[in-house]
């Protein structure tokens, strides 16, 4: 029982990171109907910026108070990563918005390769380590018979609470603010939204910026949790997050978070109870099974085309 609960905590932690990345996929798809395959590499950029800024503050400038350092790192990473997201949308996607549907998809894959190689050339191909910064935790259960205790680290608590807060904040933003109403209007009909006075280009750009900012948060949490990053983490995490968005229902924010949690739980439980080499096979197999019976995902709404 203790082992199961520990794996459950680990799966929720990993799934929270996947869910934050998946929200960026589902927001972009919900408005312009395009899969931003470079979003995973924007997450990777955010992780590298967070690592570089952390080393500058602690090693070069000598800052020692960790909460202030992490707050500055988070703000800087979100600003620079949001600028990356805006630039990618402005240069690579906006000119092809009215083109045939395959062109933006090819461009997205091209931008992913460009970002990967840019980081590989500028930062090198070796992994970049970071010593553990937030240590310690809470012992929830002591397994006297099995010798296994259930540990909830402070880093896991921070990740889960941050994910809950961001999910609640973005839900309120989408449902209660003028920007959220503009995004929902663009999702339904961009041409009619423009006729009603909504700046469609600005709304789409802000959507990319918001998704990139969430990816920066996920990147910082990833580097703090695992302590090692490389130029390839964006592709792997991006594929998992895209899978999570599809599983939960592409275009649905709660579905993206639910899908991220499910993918994280599937990976962790399969690795813990079966073979770690086949955890990706298990995740994609369950995705295929779900889509056979629920083509729109768990929380996705089927598209109704009026004739």
């Amino acid at each position: 029982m203790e082992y199961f609960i520990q794996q459950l905590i680990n799966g929720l932690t990993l799934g929270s990171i996947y869910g934050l990345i998946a929200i960026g996929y589902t927001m972009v798809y919900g408005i312009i109907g395009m899969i931003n395959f470079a979003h995973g590499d924007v997450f990777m950029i955010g992780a590298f910026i967070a690592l570089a800024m952390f080393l500058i503050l602690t090693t070069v400038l000598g800052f020692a108070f960790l909460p202030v350092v992490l707050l500055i790192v988070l703000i800087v990473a979100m600003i620079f990563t949001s600028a990356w997201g805006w630039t990618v949308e402005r240069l690579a996607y906006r000119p092809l918005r009215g083109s045939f549907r395959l062109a933006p998809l090819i461009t997205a894959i091209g931008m992913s390769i460009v970002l990967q190689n840019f980081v590989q050339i500028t930062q090198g191909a070796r992994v970049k380590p970071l010593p553990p910064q937030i240590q310690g935790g809470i012992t929830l259960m002591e397994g006297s018979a099995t010798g296994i205790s259930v540990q909830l680290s402070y880093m896991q608590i921070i990740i889960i609470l941050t994910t809950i807060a961001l999910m609640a904040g973005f839900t309120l933003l989408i449902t209660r603010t003028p920007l959220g109403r503009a995004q929902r209007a663009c999702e339904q009909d961009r041409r009619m939204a423009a006729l009603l006075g909504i700046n469609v280009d600005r709304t789409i750009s802000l959507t990319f910026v918001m998704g990139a900012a969430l990816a920066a948060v996920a990147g910082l949490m990833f580097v703090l949790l695992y302590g090692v990053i490389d130029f390839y983490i964006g592709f792997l995490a991006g594929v998992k997050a895209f899978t999570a968005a599809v599983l939960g229902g592409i275009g649905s924010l709660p579905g993206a978070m639910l899908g991220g949690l499910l993918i994280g739980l599937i990976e962790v439980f399969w690795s813990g109870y079966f073979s770690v080499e086949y955890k990706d096979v298990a995740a994609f197999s369950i995705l295929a099974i779900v889509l056979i019976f629920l083509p729109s995902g768990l929380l996705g709404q089927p598209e109704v085309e009026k004739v």
Side-chain angles (χ1 to χ4, degrees):
M1 184 64 182
E2 292 84 1
Y3 185 72
F4 174 85
I5 296 176
Q6 184 65 66
Q7 295 302 324
L8 178 64
I9 294 173
N10 297 338
L12 291 175
T13 305
L14 178 61
S16 298
I17 296 177
Y18 286 157
L20 288 179
I21 307 173
I23 289 176
Y25 280 106
T26 201
M27 287 175 65
V28 172
Y29 182 85
I31 291 182
I32 61 177
M34 187 192 73
I35 301 297
N36 179 18
F37 277 116
H39 186 65
D41 297 284
V42 173
F43 153 78
M44 177 265 297
I45 293 285
F48 269 90
I49 293 174
L51 176 60
M53 193 63 198
F54 187 89
L55 295 177
I56 290 173
L57 291 175
T58 56
T59 306
V60 179
L61 300 180
F63 283 34
F65 190 54
L66 188 60
V68 175
V69 170
L70 292 179
L71 180 61
I72 296 174
V73 168
L74 178 61
I75 294 173
V76 172
M78 292 178 69
I79 291 173
F80 279 92
T81 310
S82 298
W84 270 102
W86 181 87
T87 303
V88 168
E89 189 275 334
R90 187 66 182 86
L91 297 180
Y93 299 145
R94 185 179 297 184
L96 297 175
R97 198 179 297 161
S99 180
F100 62 98
R101 296 180 64 88
L102 190 60
L105 177 63
I106 297 173
T107 303
I109 297 174
M111 286 302 304
S112 173
I113 297 172
V114 167
L115 293 178
Q116 284 184 34
N117 284 272
F118 172 76
V119 174
Q120 183 182 8
I121 292 171
T122 56
Q123 302 298 321
R126 293 184 178 180
V127 297
K128 304 296 185 293
L130 178 69
Q133 302 298 319
I134 302 176
Q135 303 184 32
I138 303 171
T139 301
L140 299 180
M141 297 176 61
E142 289 284 357
S144 56
T146 61
I148 300 175
S149 59
V150 179
Q151 298 285 337
L152 180 62
S153 69
Y154 293 133
M155 189 65 231
Q156 290 175 321
I157 295 174
I158 291 173
I159 290 175
I160 295 174
L161 292 180
T162 302
T163 301
I164 293 173
L166 288 174
M167 187 64 199
F170 265 75
T171 301
L172 290 175
L173 186 147
I174 296 297
T175 57
R176 301 292 178 87
T177 65
L179 175 59
R181 287 192 292 271
Q183 288 175 322
R184 286 182 281 128
C186 292
E187 176 184 358
Q188 295 179 9
D189 192 329
R190 292 202 304 272
R191 182 175 298 178
M192 181 57 68
L195 292 174
L196 293 175
I198 294 174
N199 191 328
V200 175
D201 289 337
R202 185 179 64 184
T203 302
I204 294 175
S205 294
L206 287 175
T207 303
F208 272 83
V209 166
M210 292 162 56
L214 282 179
V217 178
L220 175 60
M221 294 194 299
F222 185 92
V223 70
L224 290 175
L225 179 64
Y226 293 105
V228 61
I229 58 173
D230 59 29
F231 73 98
Y232 203 61
I233 62 169
F235 175 78
L236 297 175
V239 170
K240 301 292 180 58
F242 173 67
T243 304
V246 175
L247 178 62
I250 192 77
S252 169
L253 262 66
M257 184 55 65
L258 175 62
L261 294 176
L262 289 177
I263 292 296
L265 289 171
I266 292 169
E267 282 194 16
V268 169
F269 276 112
W270 191 274
S271 301
Y273 287 96
F274 301 102
S275 173
V276 66
E277 289 84 3
Y278 290 94
K279 60 183 178 64
D280 294 338
V281 176
F284 289 111
S285 299
I286 292 178
L287 170 67
I289 293 172
V290 170
L291 292 182
I292 288 174
F293 297 99
L294 296 171
S296 300
L298 296 174
L299 299 182
Q301 298 295 328
E303 294 186 3
V304 177
E305 183 175 354
K306 295 181 179 180
V307 179

